[in-house]
Amino acid sequence: MSAPSRPPQTAPPPPGWWQVVRPAELGEADVAAWRRLHRERPELASPYFHPTFVRLVAAARAAHSRDDVRVGVLREEASGEPIAFLPFQRGRWGRATPPGGRLCDFHGLIAPADTRTTAVDALRGCGLRSYAFHMLPPGQPAFAAAGDRTEAGWERGGVRVNLAGGFDAYLARREAEGSKRHRKIAQFRRRMERERGEVTFTWQDTDPEAWERLLRWKRGQYAATGFCDVLAAPWVRDLLARCRDADAADEHGFEGVFCTLRAGGAVVAGHLLLRSGPRLHAWFPAYDAAARALSPGNVLMLELLRHAADRGVTALDLGAGDEPYKSDYATDRFALLRGVAETPGAATHAVASARRVRDALKAHPAGAPARLAAAWVRPLRERHALR
């Protein structure tokens, strides 16, 4: 007699239950647990994973009639203690994106490294149909499985500046790799001093005129390059100001850093960055186009790195991309995924099928009309996403 067939073997679902709340509704124990995960897991050290950033996004959007930022909290079955967190921005028909959409460079699940929660578990627990991500960093196994692993699905890669050991150690590593860029930047600084006057750097600039110049220069940059002007959305300008004014309560807190470079007393470059503990993330840099020949952005960046290292920063993330200026400073690169995690179902299957047809048309040698249509629609879609 043959042995009886075994029932299908499936992994047990993670213990616990999901609760969806506004960021401001998180209890003190929830925030403490979230911050502990952020502090103890290097993969979650980015300021984008800090609860304060999510709360600031929620507050900025709610102030402009966009009360759509939520946090899914996975709680232990018996005690109700928080296990994991999924911050998201809810869209129509159960679709979700990271809080702040494209403004949130790194995103994903805030959870212990050994969590058994899957993307489908999290989406179902939060009442979502899909979660679209565009810069999923390492350490996100739940959502990485949903990443598009075709060539089109990989971003150009994350770029990081390693400042461990201090600024001088960083320069020594760059020189050992053959880079002499910092010497050229020093020449630009000396020329700037000769032509414009004394060059000064400010780590935290509180001058409102300097802030307005940064916004004006950035919008001019968007107009000149054809990129979507994210600053056209009032809630985005509100968010930037809230982040600028955020002040870390302790060494692992969240804060904005608004740096400026002046020459002869006039601001020639500025940069708003986000910081949490030893991790800094570049966010909104801009410079005076009239001073382009003096490379004010690079002079600011080198001074920024020097002062950051002196203040205990061990790494500066430059986001994704292969722009030459990032290569001038980068010491580390890592993969970033984009894709869509979805729950199974007929509607999901239909959307996925339509997406595959679209991608096939765009990739086909005769698909020039589809590519042109996609290029025309993309700015409209980006502006709509910022509403």
Side-chain angles (χ1 to χ4, degrees), residues 23 26 31 34-35 38 47-56:
L26 291 167
V31 175
W34 185 336
R35 294 189 62 180
H38 176 269
Y48 291 107
F49 285 119
H50 198 283
T52 298
F53 175 75
V54 178
R55 283 181 158 180
L56 292 176

Side-chain angles (χ1 to χ4, degrees), residues 91-359:
R92 292 181 297 177
W93 304 306
R95 299 173 182 173
T97 62
R102 289 280 172 176
L103 296 179
C104 183
D105 278 9
F106 297 164
H107 36 262
L109 189 69
I110 294 92
D114 59 353
T115 182
R116 291 180 292 157
T117 301
T118 67
V120 172
D121 292 332
L123 294 179
R124 284 175 170 164
C126 295
L128 299 175
R129 180 172 293 169
S130 67
Y131 176 85
F133 50 89
H134 56 276
M135 287 191 196
L136 191 77
Q140 290 290 327
F143 286 98
D148 180 1
R149 297 185 181 276
T150 65
E151 183 178 352
W154 290 93
E155 290 284 355
R156 290 167 290 180
V159 181
R160 180 169 294 157
V161 180
N162 183 356
L163 292 173
F167 181 72
D168 291 339
Y170 160 72
L171 290 185
R173 287 193 298 272
R174 296 297 291 145
E175 289 221 355
E177 295 167 357
S179 174
K180 301 293 190 293
R181 182 60 175 165
H182 62 283
R183 297 186 182 183
K184 183 67 174 178
I185 296 173
Q187 293 175 3
F188 278 119
R189 177 179 178 134
R190 290 192 292 271
R191 179 184 167 191
M192 190 181 297
E193 289 179 331
R194 290 195 304 269
E195 297 183 8
R196 297 287 187 103
E198 181 184 10
V199 174
T200 58
F201 173 86
T202 304
W203 176 254
Q204 285 282 21
D205 200 322
T206 58
D207 180 6
E209 175 58 28
W211 177 252
E212 291 302 321
R213 287 192 180 191
L214 172 72
L215 300 182
R216 189 162 59 248
W217 291 338
K218 197 65 181 177
R219 299 198 69 177
Q221 178 185 333
Y222 289 139
T225 58
F227 281 93
C228 175
D229 181 5
V230 299
L231 295 175
W235 75 265
V236 174
R237 298 194 300 272
D238 188 357
L239 172 62
L240 266 60
R242 289 171 187 263
C243 289
R244 175 201 62 196
D245 297 338
D247 188 12
D250 56 58
E251 61 179 342
H252 294 288
F254 174 96
E255 65 179 338
V257 178
F258 176 42
C259 299
T260 58
L261 186 78
R262 285 177 167 80
V267 179
V268 292
H271 195 156
L272 174 65
L273 306 96
L274 303 180
R275 181 182 182 182
S276 58
R279 186 67 61 84
L280 195 63
H281 196 109
W283 206 24
F284 277 84
Y287 61 86
D288 184 358
R292 181 183 288 110
L294 301 174
S295 198
N298 280 304
V299 176
L300 171 66
M301 178 61 77
L302 201 61
E303 283 300 309
L304 189 162
L305 292 175
R306 186 194 314 274
H307 284 258
D310 290 343
R311 286 168 168 78
V313 172
T314 59
L316 166 65
D317 284 312
L318 298 177
D322 53 4
E323 292 90 337
Y325 88 91
K326 293 184 179 181
S327 298
D328 289 339
Y329 302 101
T331 58
D332 305 315
R333 294 182 180 274
F334 49 95
L336 293 170
L337 267 180
R338 69 170 178 244
V340 181
E342 299 171 304
T343 57
T348 297
H349 179 72
V351 171
S353 298
R355 191 163 54 240
R356 285 193 295 270
V357 171
R358 178 202 63 193
D359 292 343

